[in-house]
Amino acid sequence: MANEELKDLDLKELEAHLSEQEGLRRDKLSALQKEGKDPFQVYKVQRTHTSQGIRDHYEELQETTVTIAGRLMSKRGQGKVIFADLYDRDGKIQLFVKLDQVGEEALKFFKTLDLGDWLSVTGIPFTTKTGELSVKVSGYELISKSVKPLPDKWHGLKDPDLRYRRREVDIIANPDVKDTFIKRSRILSGIRRYLDQRGYLEVETPILSPIAGGAAARPFITHHNTLDIDMYLRIATELYLKRCIVAGFEKVYDMGKNFRNEGIDYKHNPEFTMIELYEAFADYHDMMDLVEDLISSVALEVTGSMVIDYQGTQIDLTPPWRRVSMQELVKEHAGVDFSLLSSDEEAHKLIAEHHLEGELKKNLKEYTKGEILNLMFEKYAEKKLIQPTLVMDYPVEISPLTKGKRGNPELTERFEGFINASEICNAYSELNDPIVQRQRFEQQSRERDLGDDEAYVIDEDFMSALETGMPPTGGLGIGVDRIIMFLTDAASIRDVILFPTMKALPTDK
């Protein structure tokens, strides 16, 4: 059935058509197996070249027999000559299948092959009159049968839900999607290489923990049967990495999955990739220098430039990035100077003045001046941070693991990085005073008792490590998926995660 006819089918008719096609393919497979030609009994292919390998060494391969392997994606012609496109990991190469080269039986069988079938092909590379790299086929073998038809590009693969659920088909049909995940791999390698070359040691911290610590987030809870205890998928690696600093590893990082039992949108997936790093004898200024240089260097390596186009907006990642305090940004975008406020009560008045009652998550009287500063930053300033910006000096109330700012005990030496109004990193001059840290944790416990289920809990193992002694330390956490979004021009985090979390499909009863 031609594509033009397929376009006129409604969804139910299309599903019926595809089901019919699957039945025909299964019949072909059954016939082959009865003839002793089961493609699933092929165990290995002695491939000599990929499509790119032939391109790279074309001059020396002329008149040389090569063996390639890949997926059949198109066929053209019905007479004594058939042209076909074979795709391997590097891309497409054209096949030239001619009667006098392969014989009548092989040509006839080739015509029965289905799009999506896997082949190994032997032949001689050549270039057509139109300049297309091809292989003049002398022999081929069906090495795996595609019993499920590939959806037409015009239909299913434009449906985001289907694309994410059947990512393997999405990649088969859309080379741009495959390129995104190749870039993702290069970005991850680039980050590791950058840190390894600067003396950082990659370590692995637990994914299962008896306490969900290191961040303000809702965890996933499971149960260990043998120990008969509840355990949590990690929401952050921070507390374990700081214990590594206590142990004497002066530069460490962990890049891997974190899990947070929260909402799903274009910037959030319950399972996501983070990198956290810690450096002894450093502070948050050192972390500012590092994050600018790391991200801009990886961008240059992967894209060839520190200036990227993201969803129609040009973003310049070239250091130095703007560094500005949260108070300055609120003054700039909301017209309120928090440095002039002397009490929580003065800050409370701002809520009514700016009609922010709908933003409150608890009773107004429970809010401190610092919390209202952060609320106004999120309401008025955050969405304006398009070019890379490091927002400094967060209120102490929302930064329980951070050292106080030198000269201002109401603030901390913490910054977050923003690009295109999205947070991409969080960093501190790490709090290493165990007395103050316990006081901060106890305050968080009170917040939890008041109903804040994202408040920190006390991790006594971490406290014991801190009491053993941790040197002055700078720490940094980067949301890797969001960096990949920017460097691949992806509109959604689901576009850069191979298999994003999806709602279960309803089942027929």
Side-chain angles (χ1 to χ4, degrees):
M1 186 176 290
N3 279 353
E4 289 73 17
E5 293 174 283
L6 283 173
K7 290 178 183 179
D8 294 330
L9 298 178
D10 64 23
L11 184 58
K12 289 185 178 180
E13 290 174 322
L14 179 63
E15 289 174 345
H17 170 72
L18 293 177
S19 178
E20 178 186 352
Q21 290 297 307
E22 184 172 341
L24 293 173
R25 290 178 179 225
R26 289 180 180 273
D27 289 344
K28 289 181 184 179
L29 174 62
S30 179
L32 287 171
Q33 291 170 331
K34 289 177 180 177
E35 294 172 11
K37 300 176 181 178
D38 188 350
F40 299 121
Q41 291 302 310
V42 177
Y43 283 80
K44 186 175 180 178
V45 175
Q46 295 287 354
R47 181 169 66 175
T48 64
H49 294 82
T50 65
S51 57
Q52 188 61 47
I54 294 175
R55 288 186 186 88
D56 292 341
H57 302 281
Y58 177 71
E59 294 299 327
E60 60 198 74
L61 289 175
Q62 293 185 61
E63 306 305 321
T64 300
T65 299
V66 299
T67 298
I68 58 176
R71 186 186 292 274
L72 183 67
M73 291 297 289
S74 74
K75 291 189 298 180
R76 304 170 295 281
Q78 289 295 324
K80 298 181 179 179
V81 175
I82 297 175
F83 289 92
D85 292 332
L86 194 77
Y87 279 72
D88 63 13
R89 71 183 188 200
D90 294 333
K92 180 187 80 170
I93 191 164
Q94 182 172 257
L95 305 181
F96 179 69
V97 188
K98 194 177 180 183
L99 175 63
D100 60 8
Q101 294 290 325
V102 298
E104 183 175 351
E105 184 177 346
L107 182 67
K108 181 180 178 181
F109 181 60
F110 196 92
K111 293 177 181 179
T112 70
L113 296 175
D114 293 304
L115 302 188
D117 288 349
W118 286 83
L119 307 176
S120 67
V121 177
T122 300
I124 297 175
F126 76 105
T127 303
T128 66
K129 292 180 180 179
T130 59
E132 181 157 7
L133 181 64
S134 307
V135 171
K136 188 180 296 182
V137 178
S138 57
Y140 68 90
E141 182 180 15
L142 177 64
I143 59 175
S144 183
K145 184 68 182 170
S146 174
V147 296
K148 186 181 288 293
L150 298 177
D152 288 86
K153 290 184 182 181
W154 66 267
H155 182 263
L157 293 173
K158 291 182 180 179
D159 180 339
D161 189 79
L162 180 59
R163 286 183 52 223
Y164 300 140
R165 289 183 188 279
R166 297 196 63 195
R167 179 68 86 185
E168 65 284 353
V169 179
D170 186 25
I171 291 172
I172 291 168
N174 297 317
D176 289 346
V177 176
K178 184 176 183 180
D179 289 344
T180 292
F181 290 103
I182 291 173
K183 278 188 177 179
R184 181 187 175 99
S185 179
R186 292 179 59 202
I187 291 166
L188 297 180
S189 297
I191 291 172
R192 283 192 166 94
R193 185 162 49 251
Y194 179 97
L195 293 173
D196 292 345
Q197 290 173 352
R198 286 156 180 79
Y200 282 83
L201 178 71
E202 183 173 11
V203 298
E204 294 177 300
T205 60
I207 291 176
L208 277 177
S209 175
I211 289 177
R218 295 185 184 90
F220 287 94
I221 306 173
T222 187
H223 188 79
H224 192 288
N225 292 332
T226 301
L227 297 177
D228 193 24
I229 59 171
D230 284 341
M231 300 194 76
Y232 304 87
L233 292 178
R234 71 183 181 196
I235 57 175
T237 58
E238 177 166 348
L239 302 187
Y240 285 107
L241 288 171
K242 286 181 178 178
R243 290 168 67 179
C244 292
I245 294 292
V246 171
F249 298 108
E250 295 178 0
K251 290 183 174 183
V252 293
Y253 73 93
D254 187 346
M255 183 157 61
K257 296 292 187 182
N258 285 354
F259 309 85
R260 297 183 183 179
N261 195 356
E262 299 172 345
I264 296 177
D265 60 28
Y266 76 100
K267 291 193 292 187
H268 296 90
N269 191 69
E271 176 182 354
F272 60 98
T273 301
M274 281 281 293
I275 181 168
E276 290 198 41
L277 61 91
Y278 292 83
E279 179 177 343
F281 319 124
D283 66 5
Y284 79 147
H285 293 290
D286 297 300
M287 297 298 103
M288 292 181 204
D289 294 339
L290 189 149
V291 73
E292 291 175 345
D293 191 53
L294 168 59
I295 293 175
S296 60
S297 297
V298 172
L300 182 62
E301 178 182 335
V302 174
T303 71
S305 175
M306 292 186 184
V307 180
I308 61 172
D309 287 315
Y310 181 70
Q311 301 296 297
T313 299
Q314 191 174 83
I315 305 291
D316 189 350
L317 300 172
T318 308
W321 298 356
R322 186 189 183 193
R323 301 182 183 187
V324 57
S325 74
M326 180 182 283
Q327 286 190 356
E328 290 176 77
L329 284 170
V330 170
K331 182 179 179 181
E332 179 181 326
H333 296 290
V336 178
D337 188 347
F338 269 77
S339 68
L340 301 179
L341 303 183
S342 58
S343 68
D344 294 341
E345 289 72 25
E346 287 184 83
H348 292 165
K349 295 177 183 178
L350 296 171
I351 299 299
E353 291 175 9
H354 290 264
H355 309 291
L356 297 176
E357 293 86 352
E359 306 295 326
L360 300 181
K361 297 180 180 179
K362 58 184 177 181
N363 189 291
L364 175 59
K365 292 182 178 180
E366 297 174 3
Y367 274 84
T368 64
K369 181 175 72 171
E371 290 174 312
I372 293 176
L373 169 63
N374 183 60
L375 186 152
M376 295 192 73
F377 163 74
E378 292 177 345
K379 178 68 175 179
Y380 293 108
E382 190 172 313
K383 60 188 176 184
K384 304 291 183 63
L385 304 179
I386 304 304
Q387 295 303 318
T389 305
L390 303 179
V391 181
M392 306 160 51
D393 305 339
Y394 278 50
V396 66
E397 299 93 326
I398 62 170
S399 310
L401 295 166
T402 315
K403 274 192 169 184
K405 181 172 174 58
R406 283 162 271 197
N408 190 339
E410 293 184 348
L411 303 176
T412 61
E413 294 201 349
R414 172 187 176 187
F415 76 85
E416 290 183 327
F418 290 85
I419 298 174
N420 201 53
S422 291
E423 177 199 339
I424 52 101
C425 70
N426 187 18
Y428 313 149
S429 293
E430 301 294 338
L431 179 58
N432 63 338
D433 182 336
I435 310 302
V436 175
Q437 183 64 83
R438 185 172 292 278
Q439 293 170 350
R440 299 266 190 89
F441 276 153
E442 288 172 348
Q443 176 58 37
Q444 287 285 303
S445 292
R446 288 190 285 272
E447 295 288 337
R448 180 173 283 272
D449 291 341
L450 291 172
D452 184 355
D453 59 359
E454 293 187 2
Y456 290 69
V457 295
I458 300 177
D459 185 331
E460 291 294 350
D461 289 336
F462 168 67
M463 287 305 307
S464 177
L466 209 59
E467 289 161 355
T468 302
M470 186 176 85
T473 298
L476 169 68
I478 301 174
V480 175
D481 300 306
R482 291 188 186 174
I483 299 302
I484 295 170
M485 285 173 63
F486 291 124
L487 298 187
T488 60
D489 195 20
S492 169
I493 193 171
R494 293 184 173 192
D495 294 326
V496 299
I497 295 176
L498 263 174
F499 302 103
T501 304
M502 303 291 293
K503 184 178 181 180
L505 291 173
T507 56
D508 294 329
K509 294 183 179 180

